[in-house]
Amino acid sequence: MADPSEEFCYYRVLHNYTPPDEFLDKGYLTVVEGDLIEVPRPVEPEKGTEKCPEGWLKGKNTKCNLEGYFPTGVYVQFIEKNPILRKTASTCKRRHSTKAAFFVRPILCFNCQDYIWGTGAVGVICKDCGQCFHIECESNAVSFGDCSKSLPAKQQPVFDQPVPLSRWDVSNVADWMAVVNLHRYAHIFMKYGKKGDDLSNFTMTTLKGMKIEDEFHQKSILACIEKLCSNNKTIPKPMVDPEGASKDHHNFSIYSFSSMQQCHLCSEYLWGIIQQGYQCRNCGLCCHRKCVVGNLPKCSPEKLRHLKRSSFMLDAIFGMSLAEQFDISSSMKAPPVVIRFTQELEKRSQDRNIKAADAYRLPASTAEVNRLKQHISEVGSIEDANLESFDHVCIAGALKKYLRDLPNAVIHEDFYSRFVEESKIGDDERCKKNLMQLVEELPPHHCTTLKFLLEHFTRCLQLHTTNDDKKDAIGKLSRVFCQILIRPPWDSIIEIVFSAEASLHVISLLLQSQLLQSSSEYLIVGPSGPSRPPPTPVLGADSPQPCYGSIDAADWYWKDISKEELNERMSNTQDGTFLVRDSSDGVKDNYTLALRKGGSNRLLKIYHRDGKFGLMEPLSFPSVVSLVNHYMQNSLLHFNKTLDIKLQSPICRPKQDFSQEDPRLLKIAYVKADKEYNEELKRFEKIHEEHALITEELIMRHQALDAFRETLLMFDENMKIVMKNQRLVPQSEVVKLVQSIIVFWRLKLNITLSMSEFS
């Protein structure tokens, strides 16, 4: 019988596609990310090749067994083998012949596409083709695998004898941390020079000494280390009974769990702190990547409801792909949760003088972020969420977690290597241009989301940083997001540790490019295409306000006043109060109009080109003075619908000439103010950490109380069953029954006492 891999080729769907209604009955398929499309050979695409097709192809969706046309290009990825549909032994060319193998550097299992890691007998290798498998996957490999002896054996870094953990160096530990989803902390382990023989002595205290404060992260790291250091092969003890179902019977997606979670199929913990394993969106079944290809229970929300986590949601926002969260054809540029979080941070930056860029650098409490997620779930949508009870650090932390939890990073993993390679060309200016071109090639949802985030970061940087500080601020912000916005695909995840500097360079150059391209640094901008131009300004006798020949003579012109002083001058002033200052971009004849409206400061860019000034196109004022005079008589409503107000009360600068002050005194004052600010920032960070620890402890106590209550309910249910069926117990077993009842009551009493201690 012919090999199915020769008769068909397969394409993995990367992005959702729903054809227009008028095409649904014309043979066009609706496809969802993760679907597998089977296409008979020979493949004849409209453009391109079998591996890189363009246009439309006709095939069968193996998930729903429907045939029809589906889009190719960025929507799908060609794969060599069909990873879901199993071939029978009779269709294979040759079975694998395996032998024991031992590993130091983690290797992908050819069967389940999860990594093989550990110091004991955790895997095997085919003696003929060199493919490696987990011990648990060996039976599938031998029975259903397809070994091609004609291929040269792959050079895999494997050993015939166990390699003790004491022989692991720093890079080996970093490799292992990448594949157990702990790469966020790999650089810290490398900084402290942690080797294999250091791991067995790790405790909570050790991790705190390395500045790893999050309790969930500490527990996850220690659980992974305990598994690595244990040479005992545990026999899986499923929490559910397998029923012959496969992965296709469930709606699985990669999920990031915010607390310690056991695999329902083998009872071991899911490893790491991000994208630890699969979760079925329908029944809540959780499992490792390697367990998902085995014998599964059927998808039954009712039957498996006892396994569901308390935080399980059918319509969870965190963990969904970008394509599922907003319609690219609408005016939305990013998922609603991203828009809401960024708008809230920008609003607080302007109204409360909070530095949003600094908020991203501060560690957010996992408990607080989970509380925010729960609140969004309870109200039903991000638009209805009340964010006032959450501080700016929590909101920034929630946005970072949302971006980390995406199944595919904002910079799509298929483009990872191209972005990294471009960052290495040496010429930063050419590199910026090439990177921005690559951004345009990203899948639509990823492209618009990345642009939206870059614009947001730019506004955050420009609100509270001077030109001299921007380079340092860009570096700090890039370091926060370099492994959030861009990461390699799973089969190359080890690269994330050793290409961190390249990823950092990519994000830094994108931010620099966005700063240069940004035509506005502000939150309030005029419409891109006004329905009609502003009325022509009339000057002279009809203008009762004072007229200044030069902007330097205007009392309301404050030159290069800082944003901090601007906010201080305009605080507690009435609506309509205004002043003008130099634009922070440092370009000559670029100015900013600061206006008080609704109790907050609105910053409006005054554009300049060809000797004309204005707030938007067309630029029709001959000077900034004439522009200010005009808007002291006319409303700004035509510029922005939220600004139904005139310029009313100018803030006049003092008559003293500040330029004559002693520069040495100014420098001393600046150094003193900077020192005080840094001291206050450290004090705030300390208080914030203490608050996070206390909140974490309270939540743990509440969780413990909930667990106690559930246990008591279980005891009560068991007692009801015992009392109901006690007459059926043989006389010879009555004594044992009474003893069991006494034990039950003692346990219940102990649990009740424990509850009182936690209350």
Side-chain angles (χ1 to χ4, degrees):
M1 185 180 293
D3 186 344
S5 65
E6 296 179 354
E7 297 176 1
F8 299 94
C9 63
Y10 299 92
Y11 298 89
R12 175 78 67 190
V13 177
L14 301 177
H15 307 289
N16 297 353
Y17 172 76
T18 301
D21 294 340
E22 60 269 23
F23 290 98
L24 286 173
D25 57 351
K26 295 182 179 181
Y28 288 84
L29 287 175
T30 296
V31 293
V32 179
E33 181 179 355
D35 286 356
L36 191 71
I37 311 297
E38 181 183 78
V39 178
R41 284 191 166 102
V43 178
E44 299 178 353
E46 297 175 6
K47 295 181 180 180
T49 63
E50 177 184 283
K51 292 188 176 182
C52 299
E54 296 288 340
W56 297 86
L57 282 177
K58 187 173 184 180
K60 181 175 74 172
N61 189 331
T62 60
K63 189 171 183 178
C64 58
N65 287 324
L66 293 178
E67 292 189 9
Y69 293 97
F70 64 96
T72 58
V74 297
Y75 283 91
V76 297
Q77 178 185 27
F78 175 82
I79 54 179
E80 296 290 344
K81 299 286 183 182
N82 182 349
I84 296 179
L85 301 178
R86 296 294 181 189
K87 302 187 289 287
T88 62
S90 60
T91 63
C92 295
K93 289 181 178 179
R94 184 179 290 107
R95 295 185 180 184
H96 290 283
S97 175
T98 61
K99 66 175 183 177
F102 302 90
F103 310 89
V104 173
R105 185 179 175 88
I107 294 175
L108 271 178
C109 172
F110 190 64
N111 178 64
C112 67
Q113 295 301 298
D114 197 3
Y115 281 91
I116 310 169
W117 56 269
T119 57
V122 292
V124 296
I125 186 171
C126 178
K127 292 180 286 187
D128 299 317
C129 68
Q131 297 292 352
C132 297
F133 306 89
H134 286 102
I135 289 288
E136 298 87 344
C137 297
E138 182 180 9
S139 59
N140 272 343
V142 173
S143 301
F144 302 107
D146 186 359
C147 175
S148 299
K149 284 189 176 181
S150 59
L151 296 176
K154 296 185 179 180
Q155 298 299 316
Q156 299 282 5
V158 299
F159 301 87
D160 295 327
Q161 298 294 327
V163 180
L165 196 58
S166 58
R167 288 176 55 186
W168 282 28
D169 58 22
V170 173
S171 63
N172 296 143
V173 173
D175 289 344
W176 166 75
M177 294 188 74
V179 304
V180 293
N181 310 300
L182 294 174
H183 47 75
R184 179 175 171 182
Y185 293 112
H187 70 284
I188 296 181
F189 275 63
M190 295 175 72
K191 174 184 174 182
Y192 283 90
K194 297 301 180 182
K195 301 179 181 179
D197 53 3
D198 298 320
L199 299 183
S200 58
N201 299 319
F202 263 62
T203 62
M204 288 280 195
T205 304
T206 310
L207 295 174
K208 288 180 180 179
M210 297 167 65
K211 309 301 182 185
I212 301 175
E213 301 288 350
D214 190 286
E215 186 171 355
F216 163 53
H217 294 179
Q218 291 173 349
K219 289 181 178 179
S220 296
I221 293 171
L222 292 178
C224 292
I225 291 176
E226 182 181 356
K227 176 65 176 177
L228 178 65
C229 294
S230 173
N231 291 322
N232 298 323
K233 177 173 170 52
T234 57
I235 300 175
K237 297 178 181 178
M239 300 170 69
V240 292
D241 295 327
E243 299 173 333
S246 70
K247 179 180 177 181
D248 289 345
H249 291 84
H250 293 266
N251 185 14
F252 279 121
S253 62
I254 289 293
Y255 192 80
S256 294
F257 300 90
S258 300
S259 59
M260 300 298 290
Q261 174 64 44
Q262 287 178 289
C263 172
H264 293 149
L265 302 177
C266 71
S267 301
E268 289 189 343
Y269 283 119
L270 300 179
W271 312 119
I273 59 175
I274 179 176
Q275 298 189 340
Q276 300 97 322
Y278 283 102
Q279 177 177 256
C280 177
R281 293 185 180 181
N282 298 333
C283 67
L285 185 72
C286 304
C287 59
H288 293 103
R289 285 179 168 89
K290 68 178 181 180
C291 295
V292 79
V293 298
N295 190 3
L296 307 179
K298 293 180 180 178
C299 184
S300 172
E302 182 62 27
K303 187 175 180 181
L304 301 178
R305 62 187 176 88
H306 66 286
L307 295 177
K308 285 183 183 178
R309 300 175 299 109
S310 58
S311 59
F312 175 79
M313 294 176 288
L314 287 173
D315 55 351
I317 297 175
F318 286 65
M320 293 174 63
S321 66
L322 290 174
E324 294 178 276
Q325 299 194 50
F326 69 106
D327 185 1
I328 197 67
S329 63
S330 68
S331 59
M332 293 185 69
K333 297 182 179 180
V337 65
V338 174
I339 294 174
R340 181 68 195 282
F341 284 163
T342 54
Q343 285 179 344
E344 183 68 21
L345 287 170
E346 290 176 16
K347 182 176 181 295
R348 295 190 187 189
S349 292
Q350 194 174 37
D351 296 350
R352 307 179 191 180
N353 201 25
I354 291 172
K355 295 186 178 181
D358 286 345
Y360 286 119
R361 292 171 41 228
L362 296 172
S365 164
T366 300
E368 280 296 287
V369 172
N370 288 340
R371 186 168 72 87
L372 176 53
K373 288 174 58 182
Q374 186 64 30
H375 170 68
I376 296 172
S377 172
E378 290 172 354
V379 299
S381 70
I382 185 63
E383 290 82 3
D384 298 329
N386 179 11
L387 302 181
E388 283 302 317
S389 61
F390 303 94
D391 65 22
H392 60 291
V393 177
C394 176
I395 295 172
L399 178 58
K400 289 187 292 184
K401 176 166 178 56
Y402 169 85
L403 296 173
R404 282 194 187 99
D405 289 358
L406 289 173
N408 209 319
V410 176
I411 296 179
H412 198 283
E413 63 182 29
D414 290 348
F415 289 76
Y416 172 81
S417 58
R418 295 176 63 186
F419 273 85
V420 170
E421 287 304 314
E422 286 295 344
S423 71
K424 299 177 181 178
I425 61 178
D427 184 347
D428 279 359
E429 292 306 315
R430 186 160 66 94
C431 183
K432 290 176 189 176
K433 181 180 178 181
N434 294 349
L435 288 176
M436 294 308 290
Q437 290 176 349
L438 276 178
V439 170
E440 297 295 335
E441 296 179 28
L442 289 171
H445 293 83
H446 294 256
C447 176
T448 58
T449 302
L450 179 59
K451 288 181 177 179
F452 182 88
L453 287 169
L454 290 174
E455 291 169 2
H456 162 68
F457 295 148
T458 300
R459 290 192 291 268
C460 291
L461 291 170
Q462 291 174 323
L463 274 171
H464 292 287
T465 54
T466 64
N467 287 334
D468 293 337
D469 296 334
K470 278 190 175 66
K471 184 175 181 180
D472 182 55
I474 288 174
K476 292 177 179 178
L477 197 59
S478 300
R479 194 164 292 279
V480 172
F481 285 94
C482 66
Q483 291 187 350
I484 295 178
L485 296 180
I486 180 171
R487 62 174 181 260
W490 175 245
D491 58 6
S492 306
I493 195 65
I494 293 177
E495 293 180 20
I496 197 171
V497 176
F498 302 99
S499 62
E501 289 303 316
S503 299
L504 174 64
H505 196 44
V506 167
I507 303 303
S508 177
L509 291 176
L510 287 175
L511 278 173
Q512 292 176 38
S513 181
Q514 181 62 38
L515 277 168
L516 291 174
Q517 291 184 10
S518 179
S519 60
S520 173
E521 58 186 294
Y522 307 103
L523 301 178
I524 303 297
V525 295
S528 58
S531 56
R532 61 180 185 278
T536 304
V538 180
L539 306 177
D542 296 334
S543 304
Q545 69 282 348
C547 296
Y548 305 95
S550 167
I551 188 174
D552 292 320
D555 290 339
W556 37 256
Y557 173 51
W558 285 73
K559 297 185 179 179
D560 56 352
I561 182 177
S562 68
K563 292 179 182 177
E564 290 74 16
E565 186 178 351
L566 182 150
N567 290 329
E568 183 179 348
R569 295 278 181 184
M570 298 192 67
S571 63
N572 301 319
T573 57
Q574 63 182 7
D575 283 3
T577 303
F578 73 95
L579 62 81
V580 174
R581 68 174 176 87
D582 293 336
S583 175
S584 62
D585 58 17
V587 179
K588 184 180 178 182
D589 291 333
N590 277 5
Y591 302 95
T592 298
L593 172 63
L595 172 66
R596 191 74 173 178
K597 177 67 168 70
S600 63
N601 301 332
R602 306 298 179 95
L603 304 180
L604 313 178
K605 179 73 172 285
I606 299 177
Y607 296 94
H608 172 251
R609 187 174 62 253
D610 299 330
K612 297 291 185 179
F613 296 84
L615 298 177
M616 62 183 178
E617 296 288 351
L619 308 181
S620 55
F621 296 96
S623 68
V624 177
V625 173
S626 62
L627 181 149
V628 171
N629 289 340
H630 171 75
Y631 285 115
M632 289 181 74
Q633 296 298 310
N634 300 277
S635 172
L636 288 155
L637 182 64
H638 78 279
F639 164 69
N640 190 292
K641 294 181 180 179
T642 65
L643 298 179
D644 185 12
I645 194 172
K646 300 177 184 178
L647 304 182
Q648 298 172 4
S649 305
I651 296 181
C652 299
R653 67 177 185 266
K655 298 301 182 182
Q656 179 184 355
D657 187 358
F658 290 101
S659 63
Q660 300 302 317
E661 287 196 12
D662 189 343
R664 292 175 298 174
L665 296 178
L666 290 175
K667 181 178 180 181
I668 293 172
Y670 171 79
V671 171
K672 180 181 178 182
D674 184 64
K675 181 179 178 182
E676 291 175 352
Y677 168 76
N678 288 325
E679 288 175 351
E680 286 297 313
L681 181 62
K682 289 179 180 178
R683 190 172 69 86
F684 168 76
E685 291 177 354
K686 182 178 179 182
I687 294 173
H688 184 270
E689 290 177 2
E690 292 174 353
H691 172 265
L693 290 174
I694 293 172
T695 305
E696 194 90 34
E697 183 179 354
L698 288 173
I699 289 178
M700 288 183 63
R701 286 178 176 269
H702 283 300
Q703 290 175 343
L705 287 172
D706 290 340
F708 286 143
R709 293 189 186 100
E710 290 293 329
T711 305
L712 289 177
L713 288 175
M714 181 185 71
F715 280 135
D716 290 340
E717 290 177 1
N718 286 336
M719 287 302 300
K720 289 178 182 178
I721 294 173
V722 170
M723 301 305 292
K724 181 179 179 180
N725 298 287
Q726 62 179 339
R727 295 181 181 178
L728 303 177
V729 178
Q731 191 66 31
S732 59
E733 301 292 329
V734 170
V735 175
K736 291 183 180 179
L737 176 63
V738 173
Q739 291 175 344
S740 299
I741 293 174
I742 293 173
V743 171
F744 270 123
W745 280 107
R746 285 177 177 171
L747 288 173
K748 183 175 181 180
L749 178 61
N750 290 336
I751 292 173
T752 305
L753 291 173
S754 298
M755 286 181 65
S756 64
E757 294 177 2
F758 273 83
S759 300

